[in-house]
Amino acid sequence: MNSFTYHRATAIGDAVQEKAEHPGSAYIGGGTNLLDLMKENVERPTHLVSVGKLPLAAIESLPDGGLRLGAMATNADTAWHEDVKQRYPLLNQAILAGASPQLRNMATNGGNLMQRTRCYYFYDLATPCNKREPGSGCSAIGGYNRIHAILGTSEACIATHPSDMCVALAALAPSVRVSGPNGERSIPFEDFHRLPGNEPEKDNTLEPGELILSLDLPAQGFSKNFSYLKLRDRSSYAFALISVAAALELDGHIITDARLALGGVAHKPWRDQAAENLLKGQPATAETFARVAARVVENAQGQGSNDFKIELARRAIVRALKQAAEGTQKASDVFLNSNP
Amino acid sequence: MSTTNYIGKAPSRVDGPAKVTGAATYAAEYNVPGLTYGWVVSSPIAKGKITKIHADEVLVLPGVLQVFSHENVPSLAWFDRSYKDQVAPGGSPFRPLHDNEIKFSQQPVALIVAENFELARYAASVLRIEYEAAPHETNLETKRQEGFEPGRGKTGYMPPPPPRGNPDKAWEEAAHRMEAEYVHGTQHHNPMELFATTVEYHANGKITAYDKTQGVYNVQAYLTKIFGLSKDNCRVVNEYMGGGFGSGLRPQYQVFLAVLAALELKRSVRVTLTRQQMFSFGHRPHTLQYLKLATNPDGTLAAVQHHALHETSQFEDYTENVVNWSGMLYQCDNVKLGYQLAKLDVYTPLDMRAPGAATGSIGLEVAMDEMAYAAGLDPLEFRLRNYAEKDQNMNKPFSSKKLRDCYHQGAAKFGWDKRTQEPRSMRDADGKLVGWGIGGGAWDASQMKSAAKATITADGKLLVLSASGENGTGTYTIMTQIAAETLGLPLEAVTFRLGDTDQPEAPLQGGSWTAASVGTAVKNTCEALGEKLLKLAQKMEGSPLKNANFEDVEFVNGQIRLRTDANQAVVLRDVLQASGEAKIEVDGSAMPNMVKQMPYSMHSHNMVFAEVKVDEDLGTVHVTRVLNAVAAGRILNQKTARSQVLGSVVWGISMALMEETVMDHKFGRYMNHNYAEYHVPVNADIHDIDVIFVEEEDDIVNPLGVKGIGEVGMLGVAAAIANAVFHATGKRVRDLPIMIDKLL
């Protein structure tokens, strides 16, 4: 039988130690992705270290005016937390655009960062995949790649990161507080996920055995002028073809600060700081947005079935920036409604 | 006002409480003692040979009972005909584990049976199988020049009629013309319930197969022929089905594997497929359609030409009626229809809700829209000018056809007169483009031979049996209604049971013929029981019905009474008491009245009105309103019938906007083989749907006057949406589904 052992960690130190002592082990939070991967035989951990009961579920204000999101808080509890809705409505919208209510009730914030790509080939053991089996080849290149990346790809991998929440996080730029065998450290969100390069099997920059403790959001929440726009093949329960998190600070008509991140386009949530700088000091007009959008996709590269994403991304950026400037999007108590 | 008249009313599903409380048992839920579990191992390659199966490596695992493969399958039936089921197309049916040949990706190559499910699954994950791959071809585009005309082969398939008039010359010389190709990809049925079989192995060597199937008799015949079982020793049961849509018309390979294992191991066995394996068998075929239409100056059709090419497997010639409708739906004297297949290294396609017609109605109804625009006519007015008063394919009148009423009632309720013809001419308050389109079709009104048994007991309870199927359509409910009304009993006093080869034979549940076929059998059988009851009533002392013929009486409200004088009545329960019998039982059946039906073309019809809203910048389409006007004879149950059509519309929206199984031709393998990536609509995709059943009387199709509604609701939905998208945007998308990228 596909046997594995299971340990429910009682403290952070216990979890880290348990993981270190068991080669081939994995942390499990809500399990919404890991269990799928185990059923498909994509991942075969021999030992599971459950971190679900660790005291990491709190959402609390930080002295610097920021907000700490516990790694074990569920996506649902995070989206609907009053502080998130008031101060970081972009995050509320991005979380509610993803998955389904049932999944959001189980999925944890730490797990959301750790979820793996939805590349068809990664999931199907009948086909080669460098991410699943380094050196076996990338089937998506030259294959069916409608959902694949257009930015930051490599010859080894064109997979995308599937999260919605992480696109908003890329724009909001929290630090990811982690604990590992060598103690605690903080990773800027932008550096947490990585591009595939020659090691597509590595999704992120965590050291072996490190556990996510929290996401520490800075005080700036862009709560007035923001937009999360998700485009997909159906209105709910589908991964983004393109998603855009746009956040602006406006002084009248002039953009004083800006954040812009994309989902569905790269191996990591794609924040474009050059584009953000282009927005700063400019009037919030259609011309500005069009110029910036063109800049973001300037180096984008299609793979065949996903060529359309370049143009779609350009248009989505323009729309999201326009919506952010208008300040019409609000936090939701239900879900991100894409109805007409 | 009588209370036991149920036909045409809207009672709730009689099986609803069982379904929502979990009391309804599905194929994989029958728990029998000593059950073992089978896990199917699927081929990773599309073509080639198995060179080595390292079964010994997993047989050493404690609890693994056997690895079944071509290497150890016992001698089974030899001839193809033993493997042919009731709806097998021409060719050689696929035989699971027959030899080392791989004919399609995901072909079952082994069945691992173990004492528990987890072990079987684990063993499958470590079983090493070596293959020698051979070049495969899975791309229909490469076979455009290699189409061939199939033979008759399959039940229900009608080759296209010969050309009539002079379709080439008429097209060349016409005032207005159009020609275009229409494409849709492969689609899989994907019912929610996975295919599964639980085989109970009895001490005396008999088996009961609880199988997911739309035809228990079809499966029984298949199993008895292959495994050399007598019918007495092979009972097949399916009381409930979590959706079928045609996928359960043919016996699927899990029933073969489960029975094979049960007979070999002399143990009870359950085999359940995975969602990924639900993409390993029949499907709606990838189809290319070419249409050429032309009109005369008065807007009548001068020529109709429709040619279709779709895939089939290397081993069977799957056929469906794609193009024939184009010779029947509209009046035209110059018609040419062509239909071809091309062989690919895939599994054989399979009837999927409105097979052929759903496909053909996309081609014809989008072409009709294009033609209407070319001729400068409103699409509905164009159809009215070409209304077919008879079936020109058959040269027969219709038994009934209230399609014009569908047009008029549908247009009135939808508000069609407010439509402006010009594309891009309508917008909503938010500035989104609005489009209105129509599309429709026809489906055969068929009746098949069917049998039933009715038993009434002294307490006045009626039990009616017929081995039909219930896959969510409402069979339990409408048969209960018919039986209750025929014998004047309250619904609660009637139990209808189905899906068991111990019951009288019924046809496959498909083709929209269940209501007509089984319904008539139930009616006839209950009437035969009524005749017996009348005779018993006449034996009662002082019976007021002494001199009455059966035609003179009616069964209402638990009484038998004279039609002419309701006061001359006897209470049914008193009749039963007086008879001294514990129960009274009759067998009955129904056959189509061929003599009566032969002179007519018998069809249901519909017309769909759809509204879309398009965000042009982002390419997103929402179907905000659909009205489906259906003429399908008598509607037995307004509620379940409406639900069927609502479901059809949802599936039509799916077909138009999102549904497609995508093949990676490098691997010859469907890559989006799961529910996350094979998209069907979610609630957020579905908005207002309305259904009109126009009144249509037809005493030719069958005594009940029903035509069936399983398929007709699906027709024209995708075309109406595609036409609405054109009206909204001015973009004519001819390859479905219309996803974001096609509108950028």
Side-chain angles (χ1 to χ4, degrees):
Chain A
M1 204 176 306
N2 189 13
S3 300
F4 55 85
T5 47
Y6 179 88
H7 174 76
R8 177 175 286 175
T10 52
I12 293 163
D14 172 45
V16 171
Q17 190 183 346
E18 187 76 11
K19 179 87 164 56
E21 285 173 2
H22 291 81
S25 62
Y27 291 125
I28 182 164
T32 56
N33 189 208
L34 182 61
L35 293 183
D36 282 353
L37 294 165
M38 288 169 70
K39 284 184 198 170
E40 301 283 343
N41 297 315
V42 176
E43 294 200 19
R44 301 286 284 275
T46 52
H47 184 63
L48 290 182
V49 181
S50 170
V51 292
K53 297 292 176 195
L54 293 181
L56 294 172
I59 294 175
E60 55 204 356
S61 289
L62 293 167
D64 66 354
L67 189 69
R68 170 165 290 174
L69 309 175
M72 285 303 117
T74 67
N75 286 179
D77 286 344
T78 306
W80 285 321
H81 193 276
E82 270 313 307
D83 284 332
V84 172
K85 286 198 313 192
Q86 299 292 326
R87 294 156 60 187
Y88 308 94
L90 172 63
L91 187 57
N92 160 283
Q93 291 288 278
I95 293 174
L96 297 180
S100 65
Q102 294 89 336
L103 287 166
R104 295 194 297 263
N105 285 340
M106 284 302 292
T108 62
N109 291 337
N112 195 302
L113 269 62
M114 297 302 293
Q115 65 183 304
R116 309 210 67 191
T117 184
R118 296 285 166 165
C119 172
Y120 323 110
Y121 302 93
F122 176 68
Y123 269 84
D124 189 336
L125 268 59
T127 61
C129 169
N130 284 326
K131 185 181 275 298
R132 193 183 64 239
E133 202 181 327
S136 62
C138 174
S139 301
I141 295 173
Y144 178 53
N145 46 43
R146 178 178 177 80
I147 60 173
H148 288 74
I150 52 172
L151 288 163
T153 55
S154 74
E155 284 176 15
C157 182
I158 58 170
T160 56
H161 194 265
S163 171
D164 287 294
M165 180 185 185
C166 288
V167 181
L169 291 174
L172 295 168
S175 356
V176 185
R177 202 163 55 91
V178 304
S179 178
N182 299 321
E184 246 184 70
R185 66 177 179 127
S186 280
I187 309 169
F189 190 82
E190 175 129 29
D191 299 334
F192 183 84
H193 295 100
R194 57 187 298 284
L195 291 177
N198 292 324
E199 294 179 304
E201 69 277 15
K202 292 183 183 169
D203 292 347
N204 54 56
T205 56
L206 284 178
E207 296 295 334
E210 281 186 327
L211 174 70
I212 301 173
L213 304 180
S214 68
L215 303 164
D216 293 351
L217 287 161
Q220 191 180 15
F222 298 91
S223 60
K224 275 207 187 86
N225 293 96
F226 70 92
S227 174
Y228 188 72
L229 175 64
K230 179 176 181 180
L231 298 167
R232 44 185 153 179
D233 281 330
R234 63 179 163 194
S235 298
S236 181
Y237 198 55
F239 295 97
L241 292 167
I242 296 287
S243 68
V244 183
L248 301 173
E249 296 280 356
L250 293 171
D251 182 3
H253 202 48
I254 301 298
I255 300 165
T256 57
D257 199 358
R259 297 289 169 80
L260 187 62
L262 274 70
V265 298
H267 195 259
K268 61 184 287 188
W270 186 264
R271 182 178 171 192
D272 191 328
Q273 296 199 44
E276 292 170 2
N277 290 333
L278 266 184
L279 284 163
K280 287 175 198 168
Q282 297 299 310
T285 60
E287 292 74 28
T288 303
F289 301 152
R291 195 166 63 244
V292 168
R295 171 66 190 266
V296 174
V297 298
E298 202 171 47
N299 296 316
Q301 195 185 351
Q303 299 285 342
S305 1
N306 72 350
D307 290 348
F308 73 96
K309 278 190 174 188
I310 300 172
E311 176 62 15
L312 186 63
R314 199 184 59 75
R315 296 184 188 195
I317 292 165
V318 171
R319 176 69 62 87
L321 286 169
K322 178 170 176 280
Q323 287 177 175
E326 286 166 354
T328 47
Q329 206 167 343
K330 301 284 176 235
S332 166
D333 289 322
V334 197
F335 64 98
L336 180 54
N337 196 331
S338 61
N339 291 354
Chain B
M1 196 54 197
S2 49
T3 55
T4 54
N5 285 352
Y6 298 106
I7 296 175
K9 305 284 171 56
S12 294
R13 289 171 193 272
V14 297
D15 51 331
K19 283 183 170 169
V20 298
T21 58
T25 311
Y26 294 79
E29 297 180 328
Y30 287 86
N31 286 323
V32 299
L35 189 61
T36 64
Y37 298 82
W39 184 274
V40 179
V41 181
S42 307
S43 166
I45 64 166
K47 194 172 184 175
K49 287 184 177 358
I50 302 166
T51 54
K52 177 90 180 145
I53 299 182
H54 298 268
D56 50 326
E57 294 175 4
V58 298
L59 284 168
V60 300
L61 297 169
V64 171
L65 299 171
Q66 185 55 288
V67 177
F68 291 99
S69 72
H70 69 277
E71 292 181 347
N72 61 0
V73 160
S75 177
L76 297 171
W78 185 250
F79 294 107
D80 273 344
R81 64 170 180 266
S82 303
Y83 294 81
K84 289 220 178 214
D85 64 276
Q86 288 175 21
V87 287
S92 301
F94 172 66
R95 303 183 189 188
L97 313 187
H98 178 61
D99 55 25
N100 68 343
E101 293 261 339
I102 301 297
K103 297 182 163 83
F104 56 96
S105 186
Q106 285 198 303
Q107 176 177 322
V109 292
L111 179 79
I112 296 182
V113 183
E115 292 287 357
N116 64 62
F117 174 79
E118 291 78 10
L119 181 59
R121 172 193 189 129
Y122 170 71
S125 76
V126 295
L127 176 64
R128 286 195 301 131
I129 301 179
E130 293 173 33
Y131 298 90
E132 186 181 296
H136 59 260
E137 185 51 79
T138 53
N139 190 351
L140 185 61
E141 293 290 338
T142 66
K143 295 275 187 162
R144 279 178 180 272
Q145 305 309 319
E146 293 171 49
F148 64 93
E149 285 174 15
R152 277 183 176 263
K154 177 165 161 270
T155 307
Y157 170 64
M158 292 286 289
R164 60 178 182 254
N166 198 334
D168 289 323
K169 184 161 178 285
W171 189 82
E172 292 293 340
E173 295 175 355
H176 303 285
R177 303 183 294 189
M178 65 73 58
E179 60 183 315
E181 184 175 86
Y182 304 91
V183 183
H184 69 70
T186 300
Q187 299 162 9
H188 280 81
H189 306 71
N190 268 308
M192 189 76 85
E193 182 197 8
L194 299 166
F195 270 85
T197 308
T198 304
V199 179
E200 183 173 9
Y201 187 85
H202 303 283
N204 54 10
K206 295 185 178 193
I207 59 164
T208 302
Y210 300 97
D211 182 41
K212 170 157 182 157
T213 175
Q214 289 171 250
V216 288
Y217 270 91
N218 192 29
V219 170
Q220 186 196 43
Y222 175 82
L223 295 174
T224 53
K225 283 187 293 180
I226 293 171
F227 293 100
L229 297 164
S230 74
K231 291 194 171 177
D232 287 342
N233 288 343
C234 178
R235 179 179 164 216
V236 180
V237 177
N238 180 303
E239 292 185 295
Y240 291 98
M241 201 176 192
F245 315 117
S247 62
L249 289 173
R250 301 188 69 185
Q252 295 298 2
Y253 59 76
Q254 92 287 341
V255 70
F256 172 100
L257 296 173
V259 169
L260 168 80
L263 293 175
E264 287 299 298
L265 298 171
K266 302 194 177 356
R267 294 281 302 268
S268 295
V269 180
R270 173 180 300 154
V271 178
T272 308
L273 299 189
T274 64
R275 178 58 60 189
Q276 284 74 7
Q277 287 166 341
M278 295 290 282
F279 293 78
S280 65
F281 45 81
H283 51 270
R284 197 191 295 282
H286 180 193
T287 307
L288 313 174
Q289 303 182 62
Y290 203 82
L291 276 109
K292 293 168 81 166
L293 304 183
T295 54
N296 299 310
D298 62 355
T300 57
L301 279 164
V304 171
Q305 300 188 29
H306 188 174
H307 185 91
L309 170 73
H310 70 67
E311 39 140 333
T312 189
S313 64
Q314 298 287 1
F315 43 93
E316 285 176 312
D317 293 345
Y318 170 78
T319 50
E320 55 184 33
N321 300 321
V322 178
V323 297
N324 304 14
W325 316 99
S326 294
M328 182 197 103
L329 277 168
Y330 301 104
Q331 160 70 34
C332 185
D333 295 332
N334 301 297
V335 174
K336 187 166 74 175
L337 306 172
Y339 175 67
Q340 292 187 315
L341 309 182
K343 287 185 176 293
L344 295 175
D345 296 310
V346 298
Y347 193 77
T348 311
L350 175 59
D351 289 338
M352 180 160 151
R353 204 171 194 177
T359 298
S361 77
I362 291 170
L364 179 64
E365 290 294 272
V366 178
M368 283 293 285
D369 200 67
E370 298 204 44
M371 193 65 249
Y373 273 91
L377 287 169
D378 171 85
L380 189 60
E381 169 61 23
F382 180 48
R383 284 166 172 83
L384 281 164
R385 287 194 197 181
N386 291 285
Y387 197 82
E389 297 291 356
K390 68 168 186 179
D391 177 349
Q392 287 181 287
N393 283 352
M394 310 283 283
N395 196 24
K396 288 177 181 178
F398 293 104
S399 62
S400 60
K401 181 181 173 181
K402 294 286 185 188
L403 179 58
R404 206 177 259 118
D405 293 16
C406 294
Y407 290 175
H408 292 312
Q409 291 180 31
K413 197 163 185 195
F414 191 81
W416 187 256
D417 60 339
K418 292 179 202 70
R419 179 183 187 266
T420 50
Q421 170 84 350
E422 195 62 30
R424 307 179 60 82
S425 62
M426 291 168 67
R427 284 183 189 268
D428 72 358
D430 299 330
K432 283 206 183 97
L433 289 165
V434 174
W436 290 2
I438 53 173
W443 185 258
D444 309 279
S446 313
Q447 185 189 346
M448 316 297 266
K449 187 185 173 205
S450 195
K453 179 193 273 290
T455 307
I456 194 160
T457 42
D459 57 0
K461 303 264 197 242
L462 176 69
L463 174 67
V464 183
L465 309 174
S466 180
S468 184
E470 168 67 84
N471 57 20
T473 49
T475 311
Y476 277 115
T477 310
I478 59 170
M479 298 309 158
T480 305
Q481 288 174 256
I482 293 167
E485 178 159 326
T486 306
L487 285 174
L489 297 168
L491 275 187
E492 305 75 51
V494 179
T495 302
F496 177 75
R497 300 191 67 179
L498 53 68
D500 190 330
T501 51
D502 283 353
Q503 296 159 351
E505 185 163 357
L508 280 169
Q509 195 214 4
S512 294
W513 59 54
T514 299
S517 311
V518 184
T520 307
V522 167
K523 184 174 192 287
N524 288 354
T525 307
C526 289
E527 281 176 353
L529 180 59
E531 288 191 49
K532 274 197 173 180
L533 291 168
L534 175 61
K535 289 211 177 79
L536 292 171
Q538 289 169 334
K539 286 184 189 159
M540 291 169 73
E541 216 174 286
S543 171
L545 308 175
K546 274 225 155 46
N547 300 316
N549 291 316
F550 187 64
E551 293 72 31
D552 301 331
V553 301
E554 58 185 5
F555 291 73
V556 180
N557 293 348
Q559 295 180 325
I560 314 176
R561 68 191 191 193
L562 282 180
R563 286 177 191 276
T564 50
D565 182 357
N567 292 323
Q568 300 299 311
V570 292
V571 173
L572 207 50
R573 205 180 288 205
D574 295 343
V575 177
L576 292 161
Q577 300 273 313
S579 76
E581 306 275 350
K583 63 175 182 180
I584 299 156
E585 203 166 76
V586 285
D587 286 289
S589 64
M591 295 266 281
N593 185 338
M594 300 306 273
V595 176
K596 196 171 178 183
Q597 294 177 356
M598 195 60 84
Y600 296 96
S601 170
M602 303 182 297
H603 290 90
S604 53
H605 293 84
N606 78 325
M607 180 49 69
V608 177
F609 299 76
E611 175 182 270
V612 300
K613 292 189 177 178
V614 180
D615 185 324
E616 200 180 19
D617 282 345
L618 303 178
T620 53
V621 178
H622 289 278
V623 180
T624 45
R625 263 197 317 148
V626 177
L627 170 63
N628 200 339
V630 180
R634 191 178 188 187
I635 300 304
L636 295 172
N637 183 320
Q638 294 290 337
K639 194 171 181 176
T640 54
R642 182 180 149 82
S643 291
Q644 279 229 58
V645 176
L646 293 178
S648 295
V649 170
V650 170
W651 210 352
I653 292 171
S654 187
M655 201 172 187
L657 299 184
M658 55 188 82
E659 198 167 342
E660 182 175 34
T661 324
V662 183
M663 173 78 79
D664 182 329
H665 297 299
K666 185 168 60 184
F667 301 105
R669 189 171 175 89
Y670 298 118
M671 288 317 300
N672 57 338
H673 50 27
N674 59 61
Y675 260 168
E677 299 298 341
Y678 183 88
H679 292 145
V680 296
V682 294
N683 283 343
D685 293 305
I686 303 304
H687 304 281
D688 292 345
I689 304 177
D690 199 359
V691 181
I692 296 175
F693 291 114
V694 306
E695 277 192 39
E696 188 176 64
E697 284 181 25
D698 193 327
D699 62 1
I700 292 158
V701 284
N702 52 64
L704 286 165
V706 303
K707 290 181 170 179
I709 43 156
E711 342 276 321
V712 68
M714 180 96 192
L715 305 175
V717 181
I721 292 165
N723 293 337
V725 167
F726 170 76
H727 183 231
T729 65
K731 280 185 186 152
R732 185 64 77 176
V733 181
R734 300 187 180 90
D735 55 334
L736 302 185
I738 305 171
M739 295 195 285
I740 282 177
D741 44 313
K742 293 176 186 166
L743 288 177
L744 286 183

